Amino acid sequence: MRLRIEPFLYAIAASAAAVLLGQWLGQDALQRALYTARFTARVGVPLVLLIYTASSLHRLWPGTGTAWLSRNRRSLGLGFALTHTVHLAAVLNYIAQPGSPPQPAAGILGYVFIYLMAFSSNPGSMKQLGQWWHRLHAAGVQIVFLYFLVGYASMVFEPELRPLGLTVVPLLLAALGVRIAAWRARRVAGGAV
Ligand code: HEM
């Protein structure tokens, strides 16, 4: 279960670019903090899409690329945990800014699942937790996906962010479609996803 470096290189480079861009585009301290909070979550979208569809894509279209994705979900997941740790730091910085609006606590549950999955992403925990490991990761992936879907769907109702919402929501729904198609294919074939 060797880790791959590519998702971590992406996570470090994309998060660094997100922070620099947020600090550069913001007009004042509060806006710099807000933009940095936005961009540090936004760079997680490609990883969430890949993690959510990896094994389903391999089931529907077996090949070298989809095999790589399916085999390296752990590295992709840990790469996402890294980008979202930067989001957490950016969010705490935003909350600390004078004049920043109160934030809903709902995101805390998301972080509980992100870190439970990250810290149990090793053979020892898999063996120790057994069925509960699969239940934790199956639920955790759906919960993270839901946070992104709700986050971007809500942007459709905000004029400033509508174009972004209308771009990312179809991608997320397509990923959901891939999972449902793989699940149906599994049922037809009578095997595991
Ligand atoms: C207590 C925990 C969290 C807080 C306080 C928080 C706070 C924020 C803030 C302030 C923004 C910018 C909002 C805006 O544009 O007005 C943001 C954006 C976002 N957050 Fe979080 N967040 C938290 C947890 C999470 C979690 C767990 C996820 C997903 C698993 C997540 C995903 C996102 C996404 C997708 C965006 C939109 C990024 C974009 O603009 O493209 N957040 N968050």
Side-chain angles (χ1 to χ4, degrees):
M1 253 182 132
R2 206 168 53 81
L3 285 175
R4 297 291 308 203
I5 195 164
E6 294 88 345
F8 299 96
L9 293 179
Y10 168 79
I12 293 165
S15 298
V19 172
L20 290 173
L21 197 64
Q23 294 301 310
W24 185 47
L25 290 177
Q27 301 302 309
D28 55 37
L30 186 61
Q31 200 178 56
R32 280 191 287 275
L34 173 63
Y35 286 179
T36 306
R38 283 182 182 168
F39 299 156
T40 51
R42 207 171 287 178
V43 296
V45 172
L47 291 170
V48 168
L49 290 169
L50 290 176
I51 294 160
Y52 197 66
T53 58
S55 56
S56 302
L57 286 170
H58 187 50
R59 164 167 287 278
L60 296 170
W61 299 287
T64 321
T66 55
W68 189 97
L69 280 180
S70 186
R71 216 177 32 250
N72 295 301
R73 275 177 314 190
R74 178 177 166 226
S75 303
L76 293 165
L78 291 172
F80 171 73
L82 185 52
T83 59
H84 238 59
T85 298
V86 180
H87 179 58
L88 181 57
V91 160
L92 294 174
N93 174 53
Y94 179 57
I95 291 170
Q97 298 299 320
S100 74
Q103 292 300 314
I108 296 173
L109 178 72
Y111 274 107
V112 169
F113 273 94
I114 290 170
Y115 289 121
L116 282 176
M117 288 192 284
F119 291 124
S120 63
S121 283
N122 56 72
S125 301
M126 251 178 119
K127 202 152 164 251
Q128 219 176 345
L129 295 171
Q131 270 304 318
W132 284 104
W133 188 93
H134 294 283
R135 290 180 187 136
L136 166 66
H137 285 255
V141 165
Q142 299 294 355
I143 286 171
V144 168
F145 178 81
L146 211 58
Y147 271 99
F148 276 76
L149 188 60
V150 171
Y152 285 101
S154 67
M155 290 181 188
V156 175
F157 305 98
E158 292 173 48
E160 185 208 348
L161 294 167
R162 184 170 295 143
L164 179 66
L166 291 174
T167 308
V168 178
V169 169
L171 293 173
L172 292 167
L173 292 178
L176 181 61
V178 166
R179 271 189 86 111
I180 293 170
W183 177 77
R184 289 167 65 99
R186 188 199 73 180
R187 278 177 46 128
V188 170
V193 169

Short mmCIF file of all heavy atoms in Angstrom, two decimals, residues 135-177:
data_model
loop_
_atom_site.label_atom_id
_atom_site.label_comp_id
_atom_site.label_asym_id
_atom_site.label_seq_id
_atom_site.Cartn_x
_atom_site.Cartn_y
_atom_site.Cartn_z
N ARG A 135 -17.34 0.96 6.90
CA ARG A 135 -18.51 1.81 7.16
C ARG A 135 -18.09 3.27 7.33
O ARG A 135 -18.72 4.18 6.78
CB ARG A 135 -19.25 1.34 8.41
CG ARG A 135 -19.96 0.01 8.21
CD ARG A 135 -20.68 -0.44 9.45
NE ARG A 135 -21.19 -1.80 9.25
CZ ARG A 135 -21.11 -2.77 10.14
NH1 ARG A 135 -20.53 -2.53 11.32
NH2 ARG A 135 -21.59 -3.97 9.89
N LEU A 136 -16.99 3.49 8.08
CA LEU A 136 -16.49 4.86 8.31
C LEU A 136 -16.14 5.52 6.98
O LEU A 136 -16.56 6.65 6.69
CB LEU A 136 -15.24 4.83 9.20
CG LEU A 136 -14.42 6.12 9.26
CD1 LEU A 136 -15.21 7.24 9.93
CD2 LEU A 136 -13.09 5.90 9.97
N HIS A 137 -15.39 4.82 6.11
CA HIS A 137 -14.94 5.42 4.85
C HIS A 137 -16.08 5.55 3.85
O HIS A 137 -16.12 6.52 3.09
CB HIS A 137 -13.75 4.62 4.30
CG HIS A 137 -12.49 4.91 5.06
ND1 HIS A 137 -11.49 5.69 4.56
CD2 HIS A 137 -12.11 4.56 6.32
CE1 HIS A 137 -10.52 5.80 5.46
NE2 HIS A 137 -10.89 5.13 6.54
N ALA A 138 -17.03 4.59 3.87
CA ALA A 138 -18.18 4.70 2.96
C ALA A 138 -19.02 5.92 3.34
O ALA A 138 -19.39 6.73 2.48
CB ALA A 138 -19.02 3.43 3.04
N ALA A 139 -19.28 6.09 4.66
CA ALA A 139 -20.07 7.23 5.12
C ALA A 139 -19.30 8.53 4.94
O ALA A 139 -19.84 9.55 4.47
CB ALA A 139 -20.43 7.05 6.60
N GLY A 140 -18.01 8.51 5.27
CA GLY A 140 -17.18 9.72 5.22
C GLY A 140 -17.10 10.31 3.81
O GLY A 140 -17.22 11.53 3.62
N VAL A 141 -16.93 9.44 2.82
CA VAL A 141 -16.82 9.91 1.43
C VAL A 141 -18.14 10.58 1.00
O VAL A 141 -18.14 11.63 0.37
CB VAL A 141 -16.46 8.74 0.49
CG1 VAL A 141 -16.71 9.10 -0.96
CG2 VAL A 141 -15.00 8.33 0.67
N GLN A 142 -19.27 9.98 1.41
CA GLN A 142 -20.57 10.56 1.05
C GLN A 142 -20.77 11.90 1.75
O GLN A 142 -21.29 12.85 1.17
CB GLN A 142 -21.70 9.60 1.43
CG GLN A 142 -21.68 8.26 0.72
CD GLN A 142 -21.90 8.34 -0.78
OE1 GLN A 142 -22.18 9.41 -1.34
NE2 GLN A 142 -21.75 7.20 -1.44
N ILE A 143 -20.34 12.00 3.01
CA ILE A 143 -20.53 13.25 3.77
C ILE A 143 -19.69 14.37 3.17
O ILE A 143 -20.19 15.49 2.96
CB ILE A 143 -20.21 13.01 5.27
CG1 ILE A 143 -21.36 12.21 5.88
CG2 ILE A 143 -19.99 14.32 6.01
CD1 ILE A 143 -21.12 11.71 7.27
N VAL A 144 -18.43 14.09 2.83
CA VAL A 144 -17.58 15.12 2.21
C VAL A 144 -18.17 15.54 0.87
O VAL A 144 -18.26 16.72 0.56
CB VAL A 144 -16.13 14.60 2.05
CG1 VAL A 144 -15.32 15.53 1.16
CG2 VAL A 144 -15.46 14.45 3.41
N PHE A 145 -18.62 14.54 0.09
CA PHE A 145 -19.24 14.84 -1.21
C PHE A 145 -20.44 15.77 -1.03
O PHE A 145 -20.62 16.73 -1.75
CB PHE A 145 -19.67 13.55 -1.90
CG PHE A 145 -20.36 13.76 -3.22
CD1 PHE A 145 -19.62 14.00 -4.36
CD2 PHE A 145 -21.74 13.74 -3.31
CE1 PHE A 145 -20.24 14.21 -5.58
CE2 PHE A 145 -22.39 13.95 -4.52
CZ PHE A 145 -21.63 14.19 -5.66
N LEU A 146 -21.24 15.46 -0.01
CA LEU A 146 -22.47 16.25 0.26
C LEU A 146 -22.13 17.68 0.64
O LEU A 146 -22.80 18.62 0.19
CB LEU A 146 -23.25 15.56 1.39
CG LEU A 146 -24.76 15.72 1.36
CD1 LEU A 146 -25.33 15.18 0.05
CD2 LEU A 146 -25.38 14.99 2.56
N TYR A 147 -21.07 17.88 1.43
CA TYR A 147 -20.66 19.25 1.78
C TYR A 147 -20.33 20.05 0.52
O TYR A 147 -20.73 21.20 0.37
CB TYR A 147 -19.41 19.22 2.69
CG TYR A 147 -19.72 19.13 4.16
CD1 TYR A 147 -19.67 17.91 4.82
CD2 TYR A 147 -20.04 20.26 4.89
CE1 TYR A 147 -19.95 17.82 6.18
CE2 TYR A 147 -20.31 20.18 6.25
CZ TYR A 147 -20.27 18.96 6.89
OH TYR A 147 -20.55 18.88 8.23
N PHE A 148 -19.62 19.41 -0.40
CA PHE A 148 -19.27 20.11 -1.64
C PHE A 148 -20.51 20.37 -2.49
O PHE A 148 -20.68 21.46 -3.02
CB PHE A 148 -18.20 19.32 -2.42
CG PHE A 148 -16.81 19.62 -1.94
CD1 PHE A 148 -16.32 19.09 -0.76
CD2 PHE A 148 -15.98 20.44 -2.69
CE1 PHE A 148 -15.05 19.40 -0.30
CE2 PHE A 148 -14.70 20.75 -2.25
CZ PHE A 148 -14.23 20.22 -1.05
N LEU A 149 -21.39 19.36 -2.58
CA LEU A 149 -22.59 19.53 -3.41
C LEU A 149 -23.47 20.66 -2.86
O LEU A 149 -23.90 21.55 -3.59
CB LEU A 149 -23.37 18.21 -3.48
CG LEU A 149 -24.54 18.17 -4.45
CD1 LEU A 149 -24.09 18.43 -5.89
CD2 LEU A 149 -25.28 16.83 -4.36
N VAL A 150 -23.70 20.63 -1.54
CA VAL A 150 -24.53 21.68 -0.92
C VAL A 150 -23.84 23.04 -1.03
O VAL A 150 -24.47 24.05 -1.37
CB VAL A 150 -24.82 21.32 0.56
CG1 VAL A 150 -25.48 22.48 1.28
CG2 VAL A 150 -25.68 20.06 0.64
N GLY A 151 -22.51 23.06 -0.81
CA GLY A 151 -21.75 24.31 -0.89
C GLY A 151 -21.87 24.97 -2.26
O GLY A 151 -22.17 26.16 -2.37
N TYR A 152 -21.68 24.17 -3.32
CA TYR A 152 -21.72 24.75 -4.67
C TYR A 152 -23.16 24.95 -5.16
O TYR A 152 -23.43 25.89 -5.90
CB TYR A 152 -20.90 23.90 -5.64
CG TYR A 152 -19.43 24.13 -5.42
CD1 TYR A 152 -18.66 23.21 -4.71
CD2 TYR A 152 -18.82 25.30 -5.85
CE1 TYR A 152 -17.32 23.47 -4.46
CE2 TYR A 152 -17.49 25.56 -5.61
CZ TYR A 152 -16.75 24.65 -4.91
OH TYR A 152 -15.42 24.90 -4.66
N ALA A 153 -24.10 24.10 -4.71
CA ALA A 153 -25.50 24.30 -5.11
C ALA A 153 -26.03 25.61 -4.52
O ALA A 153 -26.76 26.35 -5.19
CB ALA A 153 -26.34 23.12 -4.64
N SER A 154 -25.60 25.94 -3.31
CA SER A 154 -26.07 27.19 -2.69
C SER A 154 -25.53 28.41 -3.43
O SER A 154 -26.15 29.48 -3.42
CB SER A 154 -25.64 27.24 -1.21
OG SER A 154 -24.23 27.33 -1.14
N MET A 155 -24.40 28.24 -4.13
CA MET A 155 -23.83 29.38 -4.88
C MET A 155 -24.71 29.77 -6.06
O MET A 155 -24.68 30.91 -6.52
CB MET A 155 -22.44 29.02 -5.40
CG MET A 155 -21.41 28.91 -4.33
SD MET A 155 -19.80 28.53 -5.05
CE MET A 155 -18.86 28.21 -3.57
N VAL A 156 -25.51 28.82 -6.55
CA VAL A 156 -26.39 29.10 -7.70
C VAL A 156 -27.36 30.24 -7.36
O VAL A 156 -27.81 30.98 -8.24
CB VAL A 156 -27.15 27.82 -8.12
CG1 VAL A 156 -28.16 28.10 -9.21
CG2 VAL A 156 -26.15 26.75 -8.57
N PHE A 157 -27.63 30.43 -6.06
CA PHE A 157 -28.58 31.46 -5.64
C PHE A 157 -27.88 32.78 -5.29
O PHE A 157 -28.53 33.73 -4.84
CB PHE A 157 -29.40 30.94 -4.45
CG PHE A 157 -30.09 29.64 -4.75
CD1 PHE A 157 -29.52 28.43 -4.33
CD2 PHE A 157 -31.24 29.61 -5.52
CE1 PHE A 157 -30.12 27.22 -4.66
CE2 PHE A 157 -31.85 28.41 -5.84
CZ PHE A 157 -31.29 27.21 -5.43
N GLU A 158 -26.55 32.81 -5.45
CA GLU A 158 -25.80 34.05 -5.18
C GLU A 158 -25.23 34.58 -6.49
O GLU A 158 -24.35 33.93 -7.08
CB GLU A 158 -24.63 33.77 -4.23
CG GLU A 158 -25.03 33.39 -2.80
CD GLU A 158 -23.79 32.97 -2.01
OE1 GLU A 158 -22.78 33.72 -2.07
OE2 GLU A 158 -23.80 31.87 -1.41
N PRO A 159 -25.70 35.75 -6.95
CA PRO A 159 -25.27 36.24 -8.28
C PRO A 159 -23.76 36.23 -8.48
O PRO A 159 -23.27 35.79 -9.52
CB PRO A 159 -25.84 37.67 -8.31
CG PRO A 159 -26.97 37.65 -7.35
CD PRO A 159 -26.64 36.64 -6.29
N GLU A 160 -23.01 36.65 -7.45
CA GLU A 160 -21.54 36.74 -7.59
C GLU A 160 -20.91 35.36 -7.84
O GLU A 160 -19.97 35.24 -8.62
CB GLU A 160 -20.96 37.35 -6.30
CG GLU A 160 -19.46 37.60 -6.34
CD GLU A 160 -18.82 37.53 -4.95
OE1 GLU A 160 -19.56 37.52 -3.94
OE2 GLU A 160 -17.58 37.43 -4.88
N LEU A 161 -21.45 34.33 -7.17
CA LEU A 161 -20.83 32.99 -7.26
C LEU A 161 -21.59 32.04 -8.19
O LEU A 161 -21.18 30.90 -8.37
CB LEU A 161 -20.74 32.39 -5.86
CG LEU A 161 -19.81 33.12 -4.89
CD1 LEU A 161 -20.03 32.63 -3.45
CD2 LEU A 161 -18.35 32.94 -5.29
N ARG A 162 -22.70 32.53 -8.81
CA ARG A 162 -23.55 31.64 -9.63
C ARG A 162 -22.76 30.93 -10.74
O ARG A 162 -22.89 29.71 -10.91
CB ARG A 162 -24.71 32.42 -10.23
CG ARG A 162 -25.70 31.56 -11.02
CD ARG A 162 -26.95 32.32 -11.38
NE ARG A 162 -27.68 32.68 -10.17
CZ ARG A 162 -28.34 33.84 -10.00
NH1 ARG A 162 -28.32 34.76 -10.95
NH2 ARG A 162 -28.99 34.08 -8.87
N PRO A 163 -21.91 31.64 -11.51
CA PRO A 163 -21.19 30.93 -12.58
C PRO A 163 -20.36 29.76 -12.05
O PRO A 163 -20.32 28.69 -12.67
CB PRO A 163 -20.29 32.03 -13.18
CG PRO A 163 -20.94 33.31 -12.80
CD PRO A 163 -21.60 33.07 -11.47
N LEU A 164 -19.76 29.96 -10.87
CA LEU A 164 -18.96 28.87 -10.28
C LEU A 164 -19.86 27.71 -9.88
O LEU A 164 -19.56 26.54 -10.18
CB LEU A 164 -18.19 29.39 -9.06
CG LEU A 164 -17.33 28.38 -8.34
CD1 LEU A 164 -16.18 27.91 -9.20
CD2 LEU A 164 -16.83 28.94 -7.02
N GLY A 165 -20.98 28.04 -9.23
CA GLY A 165 -21.92 26.99 -8.84
C GLY A 165 -22.43 26.21 -10.04
O GLY A 165 -22.47 24.98 -10.03
N LEU A 166 -22.74 26.95 -11.13
CA LEU A 166 -23.28 26.29 -12.34
C LEU A 166 -22.21 25.50 -13.08
O LEU A 166 -22.52 24.69 -13.96
CB LEU A 166 -23.89 27.35 -13.26
CG LEU A 166 -25.18 28.00 -12.74
CD1 LEU A 166 -25.63 29.13 -13.65
CD2 LEU A 166 -26.29 26.96 -12.58
N THR A 167 -20.94 25.72 -12.73
CA THR A 167 -19.85 24.95 -13.34
C THR A 167 -19.56 23.69 -12.52
O THR A 167 -19.42 22.60 -13.09
CB THR A 167 -18.56 25.81 -13.40
OG1 THR A 167 -18.88 27.04 -14.03
CG2 THR A 167 -17.45 25.09 -14.13
N VAL A 168 -19.50 23.84 -11.20
CA VAL A 168 -19.07 22.70 -10.36
C VAL A 168 -20.21 21.72 -10.08
O VAL A 168 -19.98 20.51 -10.05
CB VAL A 168 -18.45 23.22 -9.04
CG1 VAL A 168 -18.04 22.06 -8.15
CG2 VAL A 168 -17.24 24.10 -9.32
N VAL A 169 -21.45 22.22 -9.90
CA VAL A 169 -22.56 21.31 -9.58
C VAL A 169 -22.75 20.23 -10.66
O VAL A 169 -22.85 19.04 -10.31
CB VAL A 169 -23.87 22.09 -9.33
CG1 VAL A 169 -25.08 21.15 -9.28
CG2 VAL A 169 -23.78 22.88 -8.02
N PRO A 170 -22.74 20.56 -11.96
CA PRO A 170 -22.87 19.49 -12.96
C PRO A 170 -21.75 18.45 -12.87
O PRO A 170 -21.99 17.26 -13.06
CB PRO A 170 -22.82 20.25 -14.29
CG PRO A 170 -23.24 21.62 -13.97
CD PRO A 170 -22.77 21.90 -12.57
N LEU A 171 -20.52 18.90 -12.52
CA LEU A 171 -19.40 17.95 -12.38
C LEU A 171 -19.67 16.99 -11.22
O LEU A 171 -19.45 15.78 -11.32
CB LEU A 171 -18.09 18.70 -12.15
CG LEU A 171 -17.57 19.57 -13.30
CD1 LEU A 171 -16.35 20.38 -12.84
CD2 LEU A 171 -17.23 18.70 -14.51
N LEU A 172 -20.15 17.55 -10.12
CA LEU A 172 -20.44 16.72 -8.94
C LEU A 172 -21.59 15.75 -9.25
O LEU A 172 -21.53 14.57 -8.86
CB LEU A 172 -20.77 17.60 -7.74
CG LEU A 172 -19.61 18.43 -7.19
CD1 LEU A 172 -20.11 19.51 -6.23
CD2 LEU A 172 -18.59 17.54 -6.50
N LEU A 173 -22.61 16.24 -9.96
CA LEU A 173 -23.74 15.36 -10.29
C LEU A 173 -23.31 14.26 -11.28
O LEU A 173 -23.78 13.13 -11.20
CB LEU A 173 -24.90 16.18 -10.85
CG LEU A 173 -25.58 17.11 -9.84
CD1 LEU A 173 -26.69 17.91 -10.50
CD2 LEU A 173 -26.11 16.31 -8.65
N ALA A 174 -22.38 14.61 -12.19
CA ALA A 174 -21.85 13.59 -13.11
C ALA A 174 -21.10 12.51 -12.33
O ALA A 174 -21.23 11.32 -12.61
CB ALA A 174 -20.92 14.26 -14.12
N ALA A 175 -20.36 12.94 -11.29
CA ALA A 175 -19.64 11.97 -10.45
C ALA A 175 -20.63 11.06 -9.73
O ALA A 175 -20.42 9.84 -9.65
CB ALA A 175 -18.79 12.73 -9.42
N LEU A 176 -21.72 11.65 -9.26
CA LEU A 176 -22.77 10.85 -8.61
C LEU A 176 -23.36 9.85 -9.61
O LEU A 176 -23.57 8.68 -9.30
CB LEU A 176 -23.86 11.77 -8.06
CG LEU A 176 -25.01 11.12 -7.32
CD1 LEU A 176 -24.52 10.37 -6.09
CD2 LEU A 176 -26.06 12.17 -6.94
N GLY A 177 -23.54 10.32 -10.85
CA GLY A 177 -24.06 9.45 -11.91
C GLY A 177 -23.14 8.26 -12.17
O GLY A 177 -23.61 7.14 -12.35
#
